[in-house]
Amino acid sequence: MHNVDPADLKTAAGAGVRLVGVSKAFRGTLAIDDISLNIEPGSFVSLLGPSGSGKTTTLNMIAGFVTPDAGQLLFDDKPITDIPPHKRNIGMVFQSYALFPHMTVFDNVAYPLRMRTKLRKDELGERVREALQLVRLSGFEDRYPRQLSGGQQQRVSMARALVGRPRLLLMDEPLGALDKKLRDELQVEIKEIHRKLGSTFIYVTHDQTEALTMSDAVVVMRNAQVAQFGSPREVYEEPENTFVASFLGNANLLPAKVVAADGQGQTVRLSNGAALTLPSGGRRTFIAGSDVMLLLRPEDLALAAPGTADSATLNGTLHEMLFFGDSYKLIVDIGSDTLMLWASPREIADLSVGAPVRVAWDAGRAGLLPAGE
Ligand SMILES: Nc1ncnc2c1ncn2[C@@H]1O[C@H](COP(=O)(O)OP(=O)(O)OP(=O)(O)O)[C@@H](O)[C@H]1O
């Protein structure tokens, strides 16, 4: 294989990025442990995981700021490890906007082009205005960063990252310093920009909602490794382990034992003695006798009408109810385990803490995961 010519990276389409068995240790501690990933050209991929799981190190390796100890990094199937960061034609956006305070918006955005290219003045102006238009900041050219809100400053740093028309944009918690309302707005705008440009976006976040709403694919990271890589629906609806299940959204995870498994489905017994049967389907199957965790998402549970008693309900006691405006969050004790679910104020009627309740569950949407992962 030959090394890629940096000029190859200047075409318009998004870059495909591949990590093959990449590892990196800092002073003997593994920050990245044998990671392999295939990021499709033009896709929007989030790296999601708790603090210290290796997200930023992965991003910095793709940017070229961190050199892997082992493994290979490829752009469009060509090794890139020896190409220095400034020749990779990558845009970068950080949580701290990293703007030059003494430069106007125009000069901040023009900076990377002035450093890297010899564009004519009118071409440069055109490119800067185009980038500012993309982030909805036309007319702000002469302002200084201190004259802008946090959200506007982050837009400037996005324009600066995009002005060189990179095939790959790396973002490290770009919305982390902004309040929720602004974050919600900018999430939509970043998605729109991605759709317009067709570049590959790699986005680091520890906010699971952000990862699920924005991405084509999510890399869930844990302890320097990839816990799961899949579409937002796959990682949410078919988590491969209890870590992914509980990191993404709310998960009721109940210890259970498989007591029967055949072509019809799998029957599990919970610690309170209740037996539940999950129909066979595409989900993982376990042999009878296996210890498992039963995954029931709150949205697949509902209060059952009083008096109903069948295999699709669980008996419990209302332990807590919290008012959220449009709904109540309910905590229900079922033996030594608890369930969390949502109910509308209408369903609550005159329920009170301590009352016996029945919870209906959707067998078709429940999942089984290996215990102890
Ligand atoms: N330059 C460095 N020197 C020493 N250790 C480092 C360095 N950079 C990262 N690490 C360590 O590598 C591990 C992974 O860090 P990394 O910053 O990639 O995690 P992260 O998932 O991005 O976390 P956060 O969400 O807190 O930014 C951590 O244990 C961290 O302390």
Side-chain angles (χ1 to χ4, degrees):
M1 273 196 274
H2 63 285
N3 266 349
V4 64
D5 174 351
D8 284 352
L9 303 178
K10 285 189 182 149
T11 54
V17 179
R18 209 140 60 86
L19 279 71
V20 184
V22 171
S23 294
K24 177 73 190 177
F26 294 105
R27 290 185 221 102
T29 306
L30 274 173
I32 297 294
D33 184 4
D34 192 17
I35 284 186
S36 294
L37 283 176
N38 193 2
I39 295 174
E40 295 289 332
S43 59
F44 192 129
V45 174
S46 290
L47 304 180
L48 173 73
S51 184
S53 55
K55 307 179 295 292
T56 297
T57 305
T58 305
L59 203 74
N60 284 340
M61 219 143 48
I62 296 168
F65 301 143
V66 168
T67 311
D69 298 334
Q72 223 179 9
L73 187 61
L74 305 113
F75 280 14
D76 299 332
D77 291 328
K78 296 171 192 160
I80 191 149
T81 318
D82 295 335
I83 297 184
H86 65 283
K87 292 200 172 153
R88 294 188 182 191
N89 193 19
I90 291 174
M92 285 212 72
V93 180
F94 304 95
Q95 180 174 342
S96 62
Y97 321 121
L99 299 176
F100 297 115
H102 59 285
M103 284 186 193
T104 61
V105 165
F106 183 97
D107 288 336
N108 265 288
V109 176
Y111 186 79
L113 284 185
R114 287 190 171 127
M115 288 293 107
R116 289 211 309 256
T117 61
K118 290 195 178 59
L119 286 180
R120 285 204 326 266
K121 205 170 164 208
D122 57 332
E123 281 175 331
L124 183 88
E126 184 60 27
R127 292 279 289 272
V128 171
R129 271 184 289 279
E130 183 186 283
L132 284 172
Q133 195 180 6
L134 200 59
V135 300
R136 302 185 195 200
L137 274 189
S138 300
F140 285 71
E141 287 82 353
D142 297 330
R143 296 239 200 144
Y144 285 88
R146 66 174 182 280
Q147 298 170 315
L148 301 174
S149 69
Q152 289 166 337
Q153 291 186 48
Q154 192 55 296
R155 285 167 207 258
V156 175
S157 77
M158 277 166 53
R160 184 183 54 187
L162 293 169
V163 77
R165 298 180 181 158
R167 297 183 57 209
L168 175 61
L169 184 69
L170 306 179
M171 302 188 168
D172 195 348
E173 307 233 11
L175 310 182
L178 304 174
D179 66 45
K180 171 147 173 37
K181 190 161 174 291
L182 208 50
R183 263 199 334 255
D184 291 349
E185 278 171 29
L186 275 165
Q187 281 170 11
V188 175
E189 287 183 30
I190 292 173
K191 269 305 277 182
E192 278 172 15
I193 291 171
H194 174 251
R195 210 170 292 126
K196 275 186 199 154
L197 293 182
S199 316
T200 307
F201 279 31
I202 306 182
Y203 190 100
V204 164
T205 180
H206 61 253
D207 179 335
Q208 37 115 352
T209 313
E210 204 163 276
L212 292 178
T213 53
M214 298 180 81
S215 324
D216 300 313
V218 181
V219 183
V220 187
M221 298 196 61
R222 178 199 199 186
N223 293 342
Q225 293 181 326
V226 175
Q228 192 169 349
F229 180 33
S231 71
R233 286 196 71 156
E234 277 164 1
V235 294
Y236 186 81
E237 293 178 354
E238 295 161 41
E240 283 174 7
N241 49 57
T242 53
F243 173 79
V244 174
S246 51
F247 198 74
L248 289 157
N250 294 302
N252 293 295
L253 285 164
L254 309 177
K257 196 179 238 345
V258 178
V259 290
D262 57 29
Q264 300 302 306
Q266 302 177 85
T267 301
V268 296
R269 193 171 297 285
L270 302 183
S271 48
N272 71 349
L276 305 177
T277 299
L278 287 73
S280 62
R283 70 171 67 78
R284 285 167 91 142
T285 50
F286 294 85
I287 55 166
S290 305
D291 287 319
V292 293
M293 295 298 274
L294 174 68
L295 168 63
L296 298 168
R297 293 283 187 195
E299 64 270 27
D300 299 325
L301 298 175
L303 281 180
T308 49
D310 57 43
S311 62
T313 60
L314 287 162
N315 289 319
T317 309
L318 186 58
H319 178 85
E320 192 56 271
M321 51 194 285
L322 304 161
F323 184 51
F324 274 67
D326 56 350
S327 55
Y328 279 87
K329 179 180 186 171
L330 307 184
I331 310 291
V332 174
D333 286 334
I334 51 162
S336 56
D337 300 317
T338 59
L339 287 175
M340 196 277 270
L341 67 149
W342 297 95
S344 69
R346 199 166 35 82
E347 288 173 288
I348 293 299
D350 52 2
L351 257 190
S352 56
V353 167
V357 286
R358 280 183 199 286
V359 177
W361 63 289
D362 185 340
R365 295 191 50 89
L368 294 183
L369 296 168
E373 256 185 48

